[in-house]
Amino acid sequence: MADFLQILITAIAVGSLYALIALGYTMVYGILKFINFAHSDIFVLGAWTSLTASVCVITWLKLDTQQPPLWLAPVVLLCAMVVCGGVAFLVERLAYKPLRKSARLNVLITAIGVSLLLQNVGQLPGFTAAEKDGRSLATVPFGPSPSRMPSLLPDTSLISVPFPSGDPTIPAASVQVNLVDVFIFVSAMVLMFGLQHLVYRTKLGAAMRAVSFNTETASLMGVPVDRVMSFTFVTGAVLAAAAGFLYALKYPGLNQPAHEIWVLLGLKAFVAAVVGGIGNVRGAVLGGFLIALIEFMGMYLFSKYLDPLMGTNMGTNLRDVYVFSVLIVVLLVKPSGLLGTPVREKV
Amino acid sequence: MTWFSRSLSGPRSERSPASRGARNVLASVAALGACALALGMAPKSIMPSTPGDSMAPKPASGAPILVGHYGSLTGPEATFGQSTSEGIRLAFKEINAAGGIDGRPIELREYDTKGEPKEATLAVTRLIKSDKVVAVLGEVASGLSLAGGPVCQEAGVPMISPSSTNVRVTKVGDMIFRVCFIDPFQGSACAKFATGELKAKTAAMLYDQKAPYSVDLAKEFKRAFKKLGGDVVIEQTYTGGDGDFTTQLTSIRARKPDVLFVPGYYTDVGNIALQARKLGITCPMLGGDGWDSEKLAEVAGKAIEGSFYSNHYAPDQPDEQVQTFIAKYKADYKGKTPDGLAALGYDAAMILADSMKRAGSLDGKKLRDAIAATKDFKGVTGVITIDANRDAVKSAVIVEMKGSPLGPKYRATVTP
Amino acid sequence: MSALTDLIPAHRPSLAQSLFAGVVVPSLCAIGVGTLMQFGVGPVLGDYWTSVGVQVGIAVMLAVSLNIVNGFTGQFSIGHAGFFAIGAYIGAGVSYYGALLIWNDASAMAHGAPLVWNNSKSWLFGAGEWLMIGGAILGACVAAAFGYIVGLPSLRLRGDYLAIVTLGFGEIVRVLLQQTRPQVFDGAELREMSAGELVIPPLGGATGFSSIPKYANLWWVWLFVAVVVFFAYRVKVSSTGRALLSIREDEIAARAMGVNITKYKVRAFVLAAALAGIAGALYAHSGNVLQPRDAGFQRSFDCIIFVVLGGLGSISGAALAAVALSIMTEALRGPEPILENWIALLILTAVISIVAAILRAVGNRGWRITLLMAVTPLSILLLGLASKFFTDATGINLADYRMVVYALLLIVVMLVRPNGLFGLTEIWEYFGPERAKKPPTTPPTASQAAAAAPTEGSRP
């Protein structure tokens, strides 16, 4: 029971991260109508920028490494958002905008190219940005080694409930809710409602929906289509930056930017967007939680019940299989996703 | 119709080779030109020359001897390849400053494998057939050494793998050597330490199902641990790079093992340690040489304190050679502490140079015989003897993560 | 359409004729290509470029096979490496375990062979090589079966959704390959394994499948390249090809014309998967090691890049892109092989220039593209020289930037030529008698529409 609850809590925290990334995918797909493969790399950029920025600030201002002041977190988050937004703006302007009129396939390929570019630039051995005792602590670009994100939030568990197990030989396990998990969940919720408000309650949001619905009509109605598209793209990147920042807080040991795991993480978030119904803000969040739940519960249930039966231990290895199977099932049963509206084909 | 077909049919209907042929061709060539532009890359070819002071021996100046290295310099495993490369370059720099091989400097030719077997095969083929190197160093990953090894074997060029621990690697043929210990030895060393010093009766294993190194080491540890009377109560796996290990660790927590064996790479162990401690797993963690990096202490911090791993050397050994190596490495690479892979790369290069001197010839067969005859070579990672299987016979040390600043401290030596 | 041809029996070739045109001629051509590559090109290239040539051939097969789905049919598959890996593992399994069971020696390179080839230890028509061919056929069949399974969702999905499903398929293949049992190195141990144990086959798991005999040399690979290219071309100009192209152009219109969309989409997937399976089986025999990551999306991306750069639907374009990019990846390791072969490059330039001059003299409009091809080796040589001087002068190690350049190139080509280098046009369609210059008053649309006709690959 304790294990189950603990995994549930983790799944919710991870689901919040998926949801944040999925929001970016869903917005870009909803309006620009292509899978932005580089989105996961913007997310990685966000995580690594947070790391580099916090190490730099801590070193330059000689702050306490173990317990840095609380104001650092928002500063670092802002920094990550600015960097990611800027890079996304450049990418959009230089690589995607010229292709707006060409085949979607071309944009997809370009996105793959941008993704490869960001990954491989990210892992180049960089220039030292912060050093201590002649030892380089942070570089720009980020280099090929993993690194540690300083803990910007106090490492405390808010709730810790001990669960005695029925079996006396097995000690009581406790279920913990950590500050960082709550922080991630709350941030994801705030950003989601903010986005919801932006899309459905503001003039800009109306313009975005108009462009998504029909680009040509929108432009005839006086909507500055190009600017709306750029704005959407940058907003998606800013959300990815926030997700990257939160990810770095939860999992401080960051893998190097070209690690395959980042692409997989991005793919799972995309799956979340598709499962929830692409182009739908609430759908992306729902999908994020759903995918995380299925991934973690799949691992837990398979390794608890099926593995002992089969004499294997592959329950946790198949985590990606659960996610992609769900995707295939959802697409076969309801191709528009759980909350999406089916698109009528026009002849 | 959907965007997909429309967008594809649009451009097609307005283009045709007849009217636009020349323009198409021009643009094609622009693209080809761009391809060609990309050719402006150069290999890592370094011939370090250190201006020695009057007391030092004369730096080597003759025709350079080419030695190849293939490693994952980019891609997901870039950090391993680059560490090895740094160790090798440091070794050759020292050798060249000290007069090289009979007055000839060693020149290193390095190619990237991106961590893919196909690239490894091509890189080694290029080193041997095109660059005509006299010997090859590499790879870190056993899977890639198994791809590159047969090429060396077929061409009769000796290959020394710095850190491929899989048993199969040197079974490829009589040209393939290694300077690290193999999985069965390391697994039993860890098991001995766990049952002996830690008095562990039960162990849990958490290994990286994607990394051959991790899978094999886990297997060997399990075998040895059982033989010594212990019991592996639970086995869990993860995929290298995963951020979250809650599922695996909660299952492990329920079994309350005496020791948690994590034979992964330091890139993951940091996060595992952090989460294990958070979930209330207090037993010591135990690992293999894949843990060895200063990044481990950096990432895991207090969480890794009191954990152990088997390694090739302990940086706090009073041994003069180890200390000189660490000092030199720090001076060359921005104060970085060398990790195990750098030390092994250094030793592999040193053994190769030593064998070249002893062989008196750069002929593949003679060089091979000289490498095979390596006995009691005093390396940074211990005293190395090459046995009949072309594997290194050497002792392992168990180090403990402790102290301030947190780092590996010598705890025990396990001899074969 | 077939109904139409049935009505006109005079247009139907006899069985002997179609056998001759469809089997005998292409087989002879394929053997010719293989022989030329092995004995003509191979010795000139030297050992290193020979191994590159083998990988280039495999890349060409992958590009051409993916072109059937992505190019002809307009479906977007990014799980091609999954089929490739299935073919590779099955091919490797058949020849490795086959040799282990039959000869009790998996490293057997020498089982009954009349002809030794000097630059690799491979044997022509040795028993081992027939195991490889058997493995390739089996691999192709199994991959085709998986193609059928993956093709089914494409009935309901299209575009980006299908892309994600295929990507998921590739990832599932990779994860499942990681779960396989450790490789067995002993024939006796293999025989003792029960059927239950073989449910999860011993394909090496994460460690990878090693010690695969290295049978695939230039001869075998390029023989199959010729077969695959010929096959793809026949598909393109057949009624199937026309149906596929019509699906690509407009699915609804195609359905209205009576094309069974379901059937043809699945057929495209099955064909592409089978060809990728063959490529995989040969790949397994070109190195010594297979790893689950061979099914990963990086390789799928490579395939897409070939197809898109070369031109969606252009077989020769995709093949050329595969050749160019594979060679480029190798050349990016450093300029030495370029500089060492400067004479060859100069001769190549001269020869192609002369061909261009002849073409121009006889009034063939292909002289332009030929001349531009002649410039390529020259510019490669010049850039090799320039990069050498740059490295000597600055000491900057540019090899680390290999992948960065590759990515940039991809973006730039997409921006400069969104339809890929050749679009739907085959390269030979650039050749032909010189046309009269159009008077400037001609409205461009009319002339384009007229000129588009002969290039349409759908017309045999």
Side-chain angles (χ1 to χ4, degrees), chain B residues 66-313:
Chain B
L66 269 183
V67 169
H69 169 226
Y70 67 115
S72 40
L73 303 171
T74 63
E77 279 105 45
T79 171
F80 308 136
Q82 296 208 348
S83 280
T84 311
S85 161
E86 284 169 358
I88 293 174
R89 278 185 276 160
L90 182 64
F92 286 157
K93 189 173 146 186
E94 273 176 37
I95 290 161
N96 289 344
I101 310 295
D102 302 330
R104 293 173 66 186
I106 296 178
E107 189 181 327
L108 183 66
R109 197 50 70 81
E110 236 176 5
Y111 293 127
D112 183 15
T113 62
K114 293 196 274 182
E116 292 172 17
K118 179 192 98 178
E119 296 273 332
T121 312
L122 287 176
V124 176
T125 313
R126 173 148 175 180
L127 284 171
I128 292 174
K129 306 287 186 183
S130 179
D131 298 335
K132 308 243 178 328
V133 296
V134 299
V136 174
L137 298 169
E139 233 277 345
V140 171
S142 297
L144 302 185
S145 291
L146 283 169
V151 182
C152 292
Q153 179 64 31
E154 204 175 301
V157 173
M159 172 181 129
I160 305 180
S161 165
S163 41
S164 294
T165 49
N166 188 296
V167 183
R168 304 274 326 156
V169 170
T170 49
K171 288 193 179 163
V172 165
D174 61 355
M175 286 288 169
I176 317 296
F177 299 86
R178 76 175 112 214
V179 297
C180 54
F181 37 59
I182 53 175
D183 289 330
F185 171 65
Q186 193 175 189
S188 70
C190 289
K192 258 185 214 167
F193 180 78
T195 48
E197 296 237 349
L198 297 179
K199 306 211 174 354
K201 297 269 184 299
T202 56
M205 295 205 301
L206 177 60
Y207 59 90
D208 179 357
Q209 52 117 3
K210 200 173 77 175
Y213 158 78
S214 193
V215 176
D216 293 339
L217 192 50
K219 207 169 66 190
E220 298 298 342
F221 174 82
K222 189 178 174 187
R223 184 180 299 167
F225 193 69
K226 277 191 168 159
K227 220 167 150 191
L228 292 168
D231 185 20
V232 175
V233 288
I234 183 168
E235 276 180 59
Q236 290 282 304
T237 55
Y238 63 95
T239 305
D242 279 352
D244 202 286
F245 304 95
T246 314
T247 316
Q248 293 94 327
L249 290 171
T250 44
S251 309
I252 288 171
R253 177 176 71 174
R255 307 302 292 266
K256 187 96 178 143
D258 293 338
V259 63
L260 171 57
F261 185 57
V262 187
Y265 286 116
Y266 64 89
T267 41
D268 300 308
V269 172
N271 276 334
I272 294 177
L274 282 170
Q275 292 174 30
R277 298 300 178 236
K278 237 180 211 166
L279 287 170
I281 298 176
T282 47
C283 70
M285 287 169 58
L286 182 64
D289 56 339
W291 281 28
D292 194 37
S293 167
E294 58 175 349
K295 292 279 176 194
L296 179 63
E298 185 189 315
V299 172
K302 279 218 159 337
I304 200 77
E305 219 173 319
S307 292
F308 308 87
Y309 63 92
S310 68
N311 199 12
H312 308 275
Y313 76 113

Side-chain angles (χ1 to χ4, degrees), chain B residues 4 14 25 38 44 112 126 209, chain C residues 74 206 332-333 337 372 397:
Chain B
F4 203 73
E14 46 178 72
V25 169
K44 263 191 190 164
D112 183 15
R126 173 148 175 180
Q209 52 117 3
Chain C
L332 285 180
R333 289 189 197 277
L372 286 167
N397 161 34

Side-chain angles (χ1 to χ4, degrees), chain B residues 354-377:
Chain B
D354 177 63
S355 309
M356 280 178 182
K357 280 180 196 156
R358 281 187 286 117
S361 155
L362 296 175
D363 174 62
K365 284 210 167 54
K366 287 200 176 124
L367 194 52
R368 176 200 62 197
D369 293 341
I371 299 172
T374 300
K375 198 167 168 14
D376 297 333
F377 177 87

Side-chain angles (χ1 to χ4, degrees), chain A residues 2 23 84 89 104 113 152 180 199 214 224 249 261 312 322 344:
Chain A
L23 283 175
C84 287
F89 179 76
R104 291 280 140 65
L152 302 183
V180 64
V199 173
N214 189 327
L249 282 187
I261 204 73
T312 52
Y322 311 137
R344 189 67 58 79

Side-chain angles (χ1 to χ4, degrees), chain C residues 163-369:
Chain C
I164 292 297
V165 169
T166 51
L167 188 62
F169 164 74
E171 281 306 294
I172 290 175
V173 170
R174 183 178 66 78
V175 173
L176 292 182
L177 283 175
Q178 277 172 4
Q179 314 305 324
T180 52
R181 281 176 195 283
Q183 198 175 348
V184 178
F185 293 100
D186 182 20
E189 194 184 325
L190 184 68
R191 283 195 197 89
E192 280 164 19
M193 286 179 88
S194 65
E197 281 179 304
L198 289 173
V199 169
I200 299 174
L203 294 177
T207 317
F209 198 109
S210 60
S211 315
I212 306 161
K214 214 169 168 176
Y215 295 133
N217 50 18
L218 278 181
W219 198 84
W220 282 116
V221 169
W222 283 89
L223 182 127
F224 274 100
V225 168
V227 170
V228 166
V229 168
F230 177 80
F231 184 77
Y233 182 72
R234 292 298 298 175
V235 167
K236 188 179 174 182
V237 299
S238 69
S239 61
T240 303
R242 284 192 295 275
L244 297 182
L245 284 165
S246 72
I247 293 175
R248 162 188 154 154
E249 297 305 329
D250 191 329
E251 221 171 276
I252 292 166
R255 192 181 296 153
M257 294 302 289
V259 173
N260 184 342
I261 297 196
T262 310
K263 185 174 121 191
Y264 281 106
K265 272 187 187 173
V266 172
R267 191 179 280 184
F269 259 97
V270 168
L271 290 177
L275 297 187
I278 292 181
L282 287 170
Y283 170 76
H285 295 85
S286 73
N288 290 284
V289 178
L290 282 179
Q291 288 191 335
R293 69 190 299 164
D294 283 321
F297 44 78
Q298 294 295 350
R299 188 181 289 275
S300 298
F301 283 178
D302 284 350
C303 304
I304 294 166
I305 289 164
F306 296 149
V307 171
V308 175
L309 287 191
L312 287 156
S314 170
I315 296 168
S316 48
L320 196 72
V323 172
L325 286 182
S326 311
I327 293 180
M328 191 190 86
T329 325
E330 277 310 304
L332 285 180
R333 289 189 197 277
E336 285 85 1
I338 299 169
L339 300 180
E340 277 163 18
N341 293 320
W342 64 276
I343 299 180
L345 285 169
L346 283 184
I347 293 174
L348 202 60
T349 311
V351 169
I352 304 177
S353 312
I354 291 168
V355 172
I358 294 170
L359 283 177
R360 176 155 203 198
V362 301
N364 188 314
R365 70 196 144 88
W367 68 269
R368 290 188 192 86
I369 193 169

Side-chain angles (χ1 to χ4, degrees), chain A residues 148 251 256 317 319 346, chain B residues 1 75 237 242 244 278 299:
Chain A
R148 154 100 193 199
Y251 305 113
Q256 62 125 324
N317 298 349
R319 60 194 299 175
K346 278 171 282 185
Chain B
M1 193 41 220
T237 55
D242 279 352
D244 202 286
K278 237 180 211 166
V299 172

